[in-house]
Amino acid sequence: MGVNSTTTVNKIQSELPMSVASSPLEIHNVRLPPRRSTSQKLRQRLSDIFFPDDPLHRFKNQPSWLVKLMLGVQCMFPIFQWGPTYNLSLFRSDVISGLTIASLAIPQGISYAKLANLPPIIGLYSSFVPPLIYSLLGSSKHLGVGPVSIASLVMGSMLSETVSYTQDPILYLKLAFTATFFAGVFQSSLGILRLGFVIDFLSKATLVGFMAGAAIIVSLQQLKGLLGIVHFTSKMQIIPVLASVFKQKEEWSWQTIVLGFGFLAFLLITRHISLRKPNLFWVSAAAPLASVILSTILVFLLRNKAHGIAIIGELPKGLNPPSSNMLFFSGPYLALAIKTGIVTGILSLTEGIAVGRTFAALKNYQVDGNKEMMAIGIMNIAGSCSSCYVTTGSFSRSAVNYNAGAQTAVSNIIMASAVLVTLLFLMPLFYYTPNVVLAAIIITAVIGLIDYQASYKLWKVDKLDFLACMCSFFGVLFISVPLGLSIAVAISVFKILLHVSRPNTLVLGNIPGTTIFHNVNQYREALRIPSFLILAVESPIYFANSTYLQERILRWVREEEEHIKANNGSKLECIILDMTAVTAIDTSGIDTLCELRKMLEKRSLQLVLANPVGSVMEKLHQSNILDSFGLKGVYLTVAEAVADISSSWKAQP
């Protein structure tokens, strides 16, 4: 019996509380997987890592090269996939949604540019070129593209730590464009090389804490505009910001405070209405532009009396000027531009893909993550050469786009067209727009990033995730935005290492009346088998955890023997290691099994392996470890191992 046995055993010991105790049980062979060459294994492994979605499946079994060429064009430019079936009905829906998000994009673009410490016109430039490029390359039908608060905040905080945007605005602008270029290169490289798993290190727990902390910092920074303060700190930590607010009390302007908090209340009320009644989404969508128009008219009418209210001033008319000559690839600030580009690139990529997938799931279609990375990366590279800074898919714009009935990416083209008209003809109208209204718009937009419910859920479900969330939150508030994010990522990586190096080991018992073995702590009715200790390992066995597993298994053995001695139970004779969840093993893991078997043999204990998966079984066979385990060393299931070994004990005189 054992690995090569095909015989049927008799009834096993009557005291075993198993269904197999009352009927014969066939012992099956544990087989090796089909032989494959090293190149075949490597090709399969690389395919699983980099091409899990099998992107070339559409090209298989196609009749001609012309068809394959068309499929290739559609793959690179999704617009050619849905474009031939586009009709007037779809266009009507896209026009409505495009104009609706344009009413949100124009004031947001101006506001977020100021958040990044850039000229307001840069925000409008960034709402024109990138959406056009995304409409050609992107795979999402509902993603509204443009500047976003988090990327704007991070870029502003990282660049302003080294370069003053007030004392050296030209250098600061060059750094912003160069950082955008490197963000685009990084993003598109991830898509081309299919390395999207890099952004998975920003776990949901990390992002919840980071966004909440960033939202508070962004909101506090807007107190400068809401209170009319002229001299304000450039630091992003909560303590310097609050200290600056109260230190400059003499600069507070009552006209600015009244105007700012009045429009802030208006924006929050409209947001509340849209949240309570989703059919009225257009109320909050139109509120920012309405606030800009009303406040501009009000300040214009009171321009001779309201001298304390700061205004945007003159904005240049015309299309995006080229900025490729402002990119630099050498000098003392290159490292800062690269670092800022990578950090903002990761954040904007994470937000854009998450938002795209969210709305794709609602409409039951699929967003290709690698295509999205390339689309977002290419639009940022092109944007850096046309006076734009980092852009991605915005949650607020996408939500409005979805609710307004967008059908395709043409809604982004309509939005960009509305921005184009604004750039060409309407810029003088923004001269009297007060900065305080832009501050109110930013606060209203970022306040939704504070997700209390998600934090509470993290606390209930996973305390380590909650710790990562809180470290990210307080790191952003009290240290800095990039360092707070780095701390949270480090905790997430530590969590991964902890799970890998300290995997779960469980004691299994038999569910009465079945051949099923399960965790005795999870299933109270599960009964331990006399003379057996059945353990399960829920992890691959690698060099990182092999020593721990050996020590933990020996501890289980010691505790079981002490328990048997205290309760006068049957002597422990066999340890069964259930390897169902051991998906892989390396040479360190194999050596550990050998050492463990030898240590247990010296204590007159037998070690048995149950249900090793194909790749594990193959390595065990190649290492010749199975010879040392013998015929009764490897079984297909725990039940067969218990039945066969018990039968052999009974047969012994």
Side-chain angles (χ1 to χ4, degrees):
M1 298 182 188
V3 175
N4 298 315
S5 175
T6 58
T7 63
T8 303
V9 300
N10 297 321
K11 292 182 179 179
I12 62 177
Q13 295 168 307
S14 58
E15 67 269 17
L16 295 180
M18 304 170 53
S19 62
V20 294
S22 58
S23 60
L25 187 67
E26 183 180 353
I27 307 302
H28 297 84
N29 293 330
V30 180
R31 299 176 182 175
L32 291 170
R35 288 184 60 84
R36 293 185 301 168
S37 65
T38 302
S39 62
Q40 288 176 323
K41 294 177 184 177
L42 180 62
R43 187 163 58 249
Q44 178 65 39
R45 186 60 179 156
L46 292 176
S47 176
D48 290 341
I49 293 174
F50 298 106
F51 304 98
D53 55 341
D54 190 14
L56 300 179
H57 73 281
R58 298 173 60 196
F59 296 88
K60 296 176 182 177
N61 303 319
Q62 294 299 331
S64 66
W65 281 103
L66 183 60
V67 175
K68 292 180 179 180
L69 179 62
M70 284 301 300
L71 289 175
V73 172
Q74 291 177 358
C75 185
M76 291 296 297
F77 302 95
I79 191 171
F80 290 105
Q81 189 171 348
W82 51 263
T85 60
Y86 197 72
N87 55 46
L88 187 61
S89 176
L90 296 176
F91 181 69
R92 190 182 302 112
S93 299
D94 287 337
V95 167
I96 294 172
S97 57
L99 293 176
T100 304
I101 57 173
S103 67
L104 180 65
I106 293 170
Q108 274 192 352
I110 296 173
S111 303
Y112 290 159
K114 291 183 70 65
L115 184 59
N117 302 318
L118 294 168
I121 191 64
I122 301 297
L124 290 180
Y125 291 157
S126 303
S127 298
F128 172 54
V129 172
L132 292 176
I133 297 174
Y134 181 83
S135 64
L136 297 175
L137 301 174
S139 59
S140 172
K141 300 176 184 178
H142 301 95
L143 200 66
V145 173
V148 293
S149 57
I150 296 299
S152 301
L153 168 69
V154 172
M155 175 172 283
S157 61
M158 292 184 71
L159 295 183
S160 60
E161 286 179 358
T162 304
V163 177
S164 172
Y165 60 91
T166 55
Q167 297 177 4
D168 202 343
I170 301 300
L171 175 60
Y172 188 90
L173 196 58
K174 289 181 178 180
L175 279 172
F177 293 152
T178 306
T180 300
F181 175 82
F182 283 111
V185 169
F186 176 74
Q187 292 166 334
S188 56
S189 299
L190 290 182
I192 294 170
L193 300 176
R194 305 185 71 83
L195 298 175
F197 59 84
V198 171
I199 65 175
D200 293 336
F201 283 96
L202 282 178
S203 64
K204 181 180 179 181
T206 299
L207 289 174
V208 167
F210 173 76
M211 288 186 175
I216 292 176
I217 288 295
V218 169
S219 300
L220 291 176
Q221 277 282 337
Q222 303 317 304
L223 291 176
K224 172 186 177 181
L226 283 177
L227 302 176
I229 299 174
V230 178
H231 301 91
F232 199 72
T233 180
S234 60
K235 295 181 179 179
M236 289 290 176
Q237 298 82 11
I238 186 171
I239 294 176
V241 170
L242 290 177
S244 182
V245 168
F246 292 102
K247 187 178 180 180
Q248 308 295 341
K249 288 177 66 175
E250 68 279 0
E251 295 185 1
W252 292 12
S253 167
W254 69 267
Q255 299 104 321
T256 303
I257 293 173
V258 170
L259 185 66
F261 281 93
F263 278 101
L264 179 61
F266 168 71
L267 290 167
L268 291 175
I269 290 171
T270 57
R271 181 177 180 272
H272 180 72
I273 292 172
S274 295
L275 288 175
R276 292 291 298 272
K277 297 183 178 181
N279 290 335
L280 298 177
F281 69 91
W282 54 269
V283 174
S284 62
L289 185 59
S291 299
V292 169
I293 294 172
L294 291 174
S295 63
T296 302
I297 293 173
L298 188 61
V299 171
F300 174 75
L301 295 176
L302 301 175
R303 61 187 181 279
N304 295 325
K305 299 180 180 179
H307 298 290
I309 300 177
I311 58 176
I312 290 179
E314 186 175 354
L315 295 177
K317 292 170 60 177
L319 296 179
N320 300 34
S323 57
S324 55
N325 61 322
M326 300 183 72
L327 304 179
F328 59 88
F329 304 102
S330 62
Y333 297 109
L334 180 61
L336 174 62
I338 294 175
K339 181 174 71 173
T340 304
I342 291 175
V343 173
T344 55
I346 291 176
L347 286 172
S348 58
L349 200 59
T350 303
E351 181 174 355
I353 292 178
V355 171
R357 286 176 174 169
T358 298
F359 291 103
L362 293 175
K363 284 293 186 179
N364 196 29
Y365 68 93
Q366 191 172 1
V367 167
D368 188 322
N370 289 290
K371 285 183 184 177
E372 290 297 285
M373 287 183 237
M374 288 189 283
I376 294 174
I378 292 172
M379 78 182 188
N380 277 317
I381 293 174
S384 68
C385 299
S386 54
S387 300
C388 305
Y389 77 108
V390 175
T391 54
T392 188
S394 163
F395 184 82
S396 58
R397 296 189 199 187
S398 301
V400 170
N401 200 26
Y402 174 83
N403 288 320
Q407 299 296 319
T408 68
V410 170
S411 60
N412 275 299
I413 298 177
I414 301 300
M415 180 195 72
S417 301
V419 174
L420 171 63
V421 172
T422 304
L423 287 170
L424 292 177
F425 306 109
L426 304 180
M427 298 314 296
L429 300 179
F430 290 99
Y431 184 89
Y432 285 101
T433 300
N435 289 330
V436 65
V437 168
L438 302 180
I441 291 172
I442 291 174
I443 292 175
T444 308
V446 302
I447 200 170
L449 299 176
I450 304 174
D451 194 342
Y452 304 99
Q453 293 180 342
S455 301
Y456 178 66
K457 186 177 180 180
L458 290 173
W459 168 256
K460 287 181 63 179
V461 175
D462 192 321
K463 300 298 188 291
L464 200 57
D465 270 352
F466 181 78
L467 176 63
C469 175
M470 289 297 100
C471 287
S472 178
F473 177 73
F474 289 112
V476 170
L477 283 183
F478 292 99
I479 304 176
S480 71
V481 172
L483 194 55
L485 186 63
S486 301
I487 292 172
V489 171
I491 291 176
S492 297
V493 172
F494 171 74
K495 180 182 176 182
I496 296 172
L497 295 176
L498 187 63
H499 285 310
V500 170
S501 62
R502 295 295 184 268
N504 282 337
T505 54
L506 309 170
V507 176
L508 305 183
N510 176 244
I511 306 295
T514 72
T515 58
I516 298 172
F517 286 79
H518 236 301
N519 182 5
V520 295
N521 290 325
Q522 183 180 359
Y523 293 87
R524 298 294 182 180
E525 69 273 21
L527 301 176
R528 297 193 183 203
I529 308 302
S531 302
F532 287 90
L533 174 61
I534 305 170
L535 301 174
V537 178
E538 295 185 331
S539 165
I541 303 178
Y542 287 129
F543 65 93
N545 61 23
S546 57
T547 302
Y548 165 79
L549 284 174
Q550 177 178 310
E551 294 172 350
R552 189 66 185 92
I553 290 171
L554 291 174
R555 177 182 166 187
W556 279 119
V557 173
R558 186 184 73 247
E559 291 175 350
E560 183 70 12
E561 289 178 333
E562 292 173 353
H563 176 77
I564 290 172
K565 185 177 180 181
N567 294 277
N568 297 319
S570 301
K571 179 185 176 183
L572 181 63
E573 297 186 50
C574 181
I575 290 87
I576 299 177
L577 199 61
D578 185 359
M579 302 183 69
T580 303
V582 180
T583 56
I585 192 169
D586 66 358
T587 53
S588 297
I590 293 172
D591 291 341
T592 295
L593 289 180
C594 287
E595 293 174 13
L596 187 62
R597 183 191 59 80
K598 293 176 182 178
M599 295 174 72
L600 293 174
E601 274 187 354
K602 291 179 180 179
R603 299 166 64 171
S604 300
L605 297 172
Q606 181 183 2
L607 177 63
V608 171
L609 308 180
N611 194 28
V613 299
S615 60
V616 173
M617 187 65 184
E618 186 178 26
K619 289 189 177 181
L620 293 177
H621 174 73
Q622 291 171 344
S623 64
N624 297 320
I625 187 178
L626 297 178
D627 297 337
S628 62
F629 273 78
L631 292 176
K632 292 185 179 293
V634 184
Y635 289 86
L636 187 61
T637 67
V638 173
E640 291 182 11
V642 172
D644 191 34
I645 295 171
S646 299
S647 174
S648 64
W649 290 344
K650 187 176 181 180
Q652 292 176 359

